[in-house]
Amino acid sequence: RRRNPIHHPPVVANERKGCCCYAYTREMDGSNPLSVRMFEIFASAEDAATHLTHHEGETLTEMFSEDPETKIMTKTNAAIINPPEDNAQVMAGHSALGLGSKPLRTFDGALLNPHFFTSSWLTRYPTIRKHPGLSVMVELRLEPKAGCREQLMKGLESVTMLVKNRDGWSILSCFVSDPWWKPAAPFTSQSVGLCIVCVAAMGMKHHLRRSLITSFKESCSAFHCVMTAENWEDEMTQELFEHFEDCNLDRLEKRELFAGFLVHPSHFATDATAA
């Protein structure tokens, strides 16, 4: 049984499938119980603009407002990756929240893997994704040593190949970009981030094998990993975390999903389909 039930927001109840990832997470060690992270991935600018009703949008705006009667966020840090800067509605909505986030662009990989939806494996085996609730997200936060950034980027290409494979049915997102996390030591403006969202931990130990992690460490002066999971009681999820523990990283953060989803439930086979 999960430590806490996961509450699915209206985007699930109303089948807003264009909101591919809608996750609220928190640290599991209890060191910062009031710190909440929200992570979203949208299929299109239209989905980003319409995933909330007018009332839901007003509520969200109030949460970030300066009005002491409604404001619940005291400190915020935000990043928007590959924003549709030619879409006035989306950009205005983001600006209205007053987060002051800097738009970032991916260097490599794909924020939304097109093969996740069109893989030949899904055509041949439509029930291959039949176990929702096991999704994981892995973030590698890397500070390259002087003169090692290019070498590090080449190494990361071996991971982003996951979304260049037409059979990549299990990886929703895998990209490299400038840091999306709050800037603080030991990270600088030269930092690089790798983020992977997948339907389960199965296979991730191979994609992020120890020899590859070791090569990253040799190119970095700081190496942090953040792992978020929908179900920490899943055996493969636990094994993946233990794998990162064995890699002796500078920091390994464990986060749980307490609301929403890492991968929209509609992308998994229904009970009727799987029967």
Side-chain angles (χ1 to χ4, degrees):
R1 191 178 64 179
R2 292 189 178 94
R3 294 177 58 202
N4 295 288
I6 294 178
H7 301 288
H8 293 298
V11 291
V12 174
N14 296 331
E15 285 292 313
R16 303 175 204 176
K17 300 178 183 180
C19 186
C20 302
C21 175
Y22 196 86
Y24 290 85
T25 73
R26 61 191 169 203
E27 295 178 35
M28 293 183 66
D29 62 5
S31 61
N32 201 353
L34 297 181
S35 176
V36 172
R37 287 185 58 198
M38 184 179 182
F39 187 82
E40 302 171 306
I41 299 177
F42 297 103
S44 68
E46 181 181 359
D47 290 308
T50 61
H51 76 288
L52 296 178
T53 66
H54 179 71
H55 175 70
E56 291 163 356
E58 286 186 337
T59 301
L60 185 64
T61 301
E62 289 176 353
M63 289 167 57
F64 291 97
S65 75
E66 295 301 321
D67 186 343
E69 295 293 327
T70 62
K71 181 178 181 178
I72 64 172
M73 306 293 182
T74 57
K75 297 180 181 179
T76 59
N77 181 68
I80 178 169
I81 301 175
N82 290 356
E85 296 184 77
D86 59 345
N87 188 300
Q89 183 180 3
V90 172
M91 300 308 293
H94 186 75
S95 177
L97 294 179
L99 301 178
S101 60
K102 178 182 177 181
L104 304 176
R105 292 289 171 186
T106 55
F107 301 145
D108 194 17
L111 186 59
L112 190 61
N113 176 19
H115 305 306
F116 181 81
F117 307 95
T118 61
S119 167
S120 59
W121 283 91
L122 291 174
T123 303
R124 295 168 61 187
Y125 307 105
T127 63
I128 196 170
R129 289 199 299 248
K130 59 183 178 182
H131 299 297
L134 299 177
S135 299
V136 299
M137 177 167 67
V138 175
E139 303 169 60
L140 301 186
R141 302 177 176 183
L142 312 165
E143 177 66 26
K145 294 177 181 177
C148 292
R149 184 182 174 91
E150 184 176 349
Q151 178 182 342
L152 177 62
M153 295 296 290
K154 287 182 178 179
L156 291 172
E157 287 179 5
S158 64
V159 183
T160 56
M161 285 296 294
L162 291 171
V163 289
K164 299 171 186 177
N165 183 340
R166 296 181 63 85
D167 292 330
W169 59 271
S170 65
I171 307 295
L172 176 71
S173 179
C174 179
F175 66 89
V176 177
S177 81
D178 282 326
W180 54 84
W181 57 94
K182 187 176 182 179
F187 297 105
T188 70
S189 60
Q190 294 300 305
S191 297
V192 174
L194 168 72
C195 181
I196 306 174
V197 180
C198 53
V199 299
M202 181 176 64
M204 290 303 296
K205 282 175 32 176
H206 170 71
H207 299 317
L208 295 170
R209 54 197 176 278
R210 187 179 301 187
S211 59
L212 185 62
I213 295 294
T214 298
S215 70
F216 292 163
K217 289 172 63 176
E218 292 172 350
S219 300
C220 295
S221 59
F223 191 151
H224 293 185
C225 175
V226 180
M227 181 173 165
T228 304
E230 292 186 341
N231 184 358
W232 278 104
E233 294 188 359
D234 173 62
E235 184 176 348
M236 288 189 176
T237 297
Q238 293 175 7
E239 288 182 0
L240 179 59
F241 188 78
E242 291 168 359
H243 167 70
F244 289 129
E245 285 183 316
D246 292 340
C247 290
N248 296 314
L249 307 178
D250 297 327
R251 182 182 178 188
L252 178 57
E253 183 179 325
K254 188 176 184 180
R255 301 187 70 88
E256 65 178 348
L257 180 81
F258 68 89
F261 47 84
L262 287 172
V263 178
H264 195 294
S266 69
H267 297 307
F268 296 88
T270 63
D271 291 339
T273 303

